[in-house]
Amino acid sequence: MAVPSDLGERAEVLVEKHAEYIIGFSQQTDTFEYYATEHFRLSGVYWGATALATLGRLHLLDAEATVAWTLSCRHENGGFGGSPRHDPHLLYTTSAVQLLALYDRLDLIDADATAAYVAGLQQPNGSFAGDEWGEIDTRCATWTCHARSS
């Protein structure tokens, strides 16, 4: 197994390069990939912002615009879709809660509506559906724990 001293310059995390890549990727809004990933963009924004926060570079994303866009994914039932025009789903609701927590803006969530949305996905056997269409998966229970604990 390689240890840092064996890796030479590869042992150093190139923070600025990583941050530049994430910011650059977030600005590519005229590509096929941008449109092809619209349905799960909220989770992508969450993971990009989390990576930047881990690198100490969250300030490179426009917090106000990111929070506003996140809230534009919210539905009247308290759930969040992967993008503004997509149905709410437990995964994207979790990503939205985590993203707003990252920006210390949980005050903008209608906690009662979001909690009701999540609780409404619980099935009689205790499992959770991912959305109103009934996808049952063990990941849904994990997402519920994340959404409720943020």
Side-chain angles (χ1 to χ4, degrees):
M1 182 165 118
V3 295
S5 62
D6 296 336
L7 297 175
E9 17 180 89
R10 292 180 299 149
E12 179 185 347
V13 175
L14 303 174
V15 172
E16 296 310 319
K17 293 267 187 204
H18 285 287
E20 286 173 21
Y21 175 80
I22 295 166
I23 292 299
F25 190 80
S26 73
Q27 295 170 344
Q28 295 175 11
T29 60
D30 61 348
T31 64
F32 171 78
E33 290 81 5
Y34 178 81
Y35 292 100
T37 60
E38 177 185 31
H39 64 286
F40 58 80
R41 183 151 305 122
L42 185 54
S43 290
V45 171
Y46 165 71
W47 286 109
T50 299
L52 287 171
T54 301
L55 295 169
R57 300 296 187 273
L58 183 60
H59 64 277
L60 296 176
L61 276 181
D62 181 336
E64 189 174 313
T66 303
V67 168
W69 182 84
T70 300
L71 294 173
S72 76
C73 297
R74 181 174 44 193
H75 289 259
E76 288 182 18
N77 66 3
F80 289 76
S83 278
R85 301 179 306 188
H86 292 269
D87 291 340
H89 190 280
L90 186 53
L91 171 60
Y92 307 118
T93 300
T94 300
S95 293
V97 171
Q98 291 173 317
L99 190 53
L100 293 169
L102 189 61
Y103 281 104
D104 197 25
R105 295 311 314 263
L106 288 173
D107 60 302
L108 298 176
I109 293 179
D110 180 342
D112 292 336
T114 299
Y117 171 74
V118 171
L121 295 171
Q122 188 166 21
Q123 305 301 299
N125 68 2
S127 66
F128 284 84
D131 57 23
E132 66 181 292
W133 308 110
E135 166 202 16
I136 305 295
D137 190 307
T138 55
R139 297 172 299 165
C140 297
T142 301
W143 297 331
T144 300
C145 293
H146 290 299
R148 293 300 308 248
S149 66
S150 294

